[in-house]
């Protein structure tokens, strides 16, 4: 898929309108590309430079490291990827080849607490910052907080549930609200510092599913 000059201008104006509302002090980034050719990606990113984006995410699929490096080298906006990458090795390839300015692992699918800490430390050693992808329950949120607090190059943690009224009710053991004015604190209690509230979890299960039901369909690799 390509972009016309009209399309590039439309997207740039869209970002300009957001920047005008939030002002210059609030970091602003953009996501959901991945289906655009490299040259239109470069033209789009260059048009976005004046809006001072914190990063542009997944401009091309992460497996295409050479193409991502081509974009990164051509523009003055941080290029970020990583939410779909499992384990440290592929992060290390992108970092060492200079294909990314920042990485974006999802702790729940990148390998867990220790592996994500290793990913962050490797990036730190190479001057690459780490934001963290997250879209899940307070359990995963608290795991991310602990990892973030222990990782020197941590920038920001994604959070999609600020408008879900029952999200924080899924757990106890930490001060509420868990997320306040853009910040959250890891617990100093044992483990992640939280306990599941089973009745709240059960009340919000997807229809037709069971609480901690067996999942034999995942016993074999897809």
């Amino acid at each position: 898929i390509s972009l016309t000059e009209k399309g590039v201008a439309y997207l740039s104006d869209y970002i300009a309108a957001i920047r005008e509302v939030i002002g210059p002090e609030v970091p602003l980034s953009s996501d959901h590309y991945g289906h655009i050719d490299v040259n239109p990606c470069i033209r789009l990113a260059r048009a976005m430079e004046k809006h001072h984006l914190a990063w542009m995410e997944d401009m091309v699929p992460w497996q295409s490291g050479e193409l991502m490096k081509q974009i990164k080298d051509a523009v003055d906006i941080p290029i970020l990827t990583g939410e779909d990458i499992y384990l440290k090795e592929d992060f290390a390839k992108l970092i060492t080849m200079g294909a990314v300015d920042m990485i974006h692992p999802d702790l729940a699918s990148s390998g867990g607490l220790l592996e994500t800490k290793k990913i962050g430390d490797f990036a730190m050693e190479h001057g690459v910052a780490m934001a963290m992808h997250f879209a899940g329950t307070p359990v995963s949120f608290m795991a991310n907080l602990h990892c973030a607090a222990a990782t020197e190059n941590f920038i920001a943690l994604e959070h999609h549930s600020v408008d879900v009224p029952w999200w924080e009710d899924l757990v106890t053991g930490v001060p509420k609200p868990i997320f306040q004015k853009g910040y959250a604190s890891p617990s100093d209690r044992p483990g992640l510092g939280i306990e599941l509230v089973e009745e709240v979890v059960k009340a919000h299960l997807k229809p037709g599913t069971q609480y901690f039901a067996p999942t034999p369909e995942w016993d074999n690799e897809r």
Side-chain angles (χ1 to χ4, degrees):
I1 299 176
S2 189
L3 290 173
T4 63
E5 289 302 319
K6 181 178 180 180
V8 170
Y10 176 86
L11 291 170
S12 178
D13 291 344
Y14 190 96
I15 294 298
I18 298 172
R19 176 58 77 194
E20 184 176 354
V21 171
I22 67 175
E25 300 297 325
V26 178
L28 174 64
S29 58
S30 64
D31 186 13
H32 291 284
Y33 301 103
H35 304 286
I36 308 170
D37 289 342
V38 170
N39 290 329
C41 279
I42 292 172
R43 287 192 287 112
L44 177 61
R46 285 176 175 169
M48 296 291 188
E49 288 176 351
K50 59 182 174 290
H51 306 308
H52 306 290
L53 294 184
W55 65 73
M56 294 182 76
E57 180 177 344
D58 292 335
M59 296 292 286
V60 293
W62 69 265
Q63 296 91 340
S64 303
E66 295 82 2
L67 301 182
M68 193 168 296
K69 177 173 171 53
Q70 187 177 338
I71 297 168
K72 173 183 171 291
D73 291 345
V75 303
D76 190 22
I77 286 179
I79 299 301
L80 171 148
T81 194
E83 69 179 74
D84 297 318
I85 301 178
Y86 176 55
L87 301 181
K88 187 183 79 173
E89 285 71 21
D90 285 315
F91 283 100
K93 290 177 185 177
L94 292 173
I95 291 167
T96 54
M97 72 186 297
V100 290
D101 295 287
M102 303 173 67
I103 57 168
H104 196 220
D106 187 315
L107 181 143
S109 57
S110 62
L113 276 158
L114 183 56
E115 186 72 8
T116 306
K117 175 71 166 65
K118 291 178 180 178
I119 292 166
D121 289 345
F122 184 90
M124 176 66 190
E125 293 168 1
H126 293 78
V128 172
M130 180 176 75
M132 299 176 75
H133 179 270
F134 163 75
T137 72
V139 178
S140 181
F141 185 82
M142 294 306 296
N144 274 275
L145 287 190
H146 282 278
C147 184
T151 309
E152 188 175 356
N153 59 339
F154 168 73
I155 298 294
L157 172 63
E158 193 167 1
H159 182 31
H160 289 262
S161 300
V162 290
D163 297 323
V164 179
W166 46 265
W167 184 83
E168 293 194 350
D169 297 334
L170 293 170
V171 296
T172 59
V174 288
K176 306 287 182 70
I178 298 173
F179 181 82
Q180 187 171 190
K181 296 182 178 179
Y183 292 89
S185 299
S187 172
D188 59 1
R189 300 175 67 225
L192 299 181
I194 53 173
E195 293 84 33
L196 275 178
V197 182
E198 294 192 14
E199 57 269 25
V200 179
V201 176
K202 291 175 181 178
H204 295 94
L205 289 175
K206 182 179 178 180
T209 60
Q210 302 176 38
Y211 185 66
F212 282 106
T215 54
E217 64 270 25
W218 297 107
D219 291 347
N220 299 306
E221 184 178 354
R222 285 188 291 178

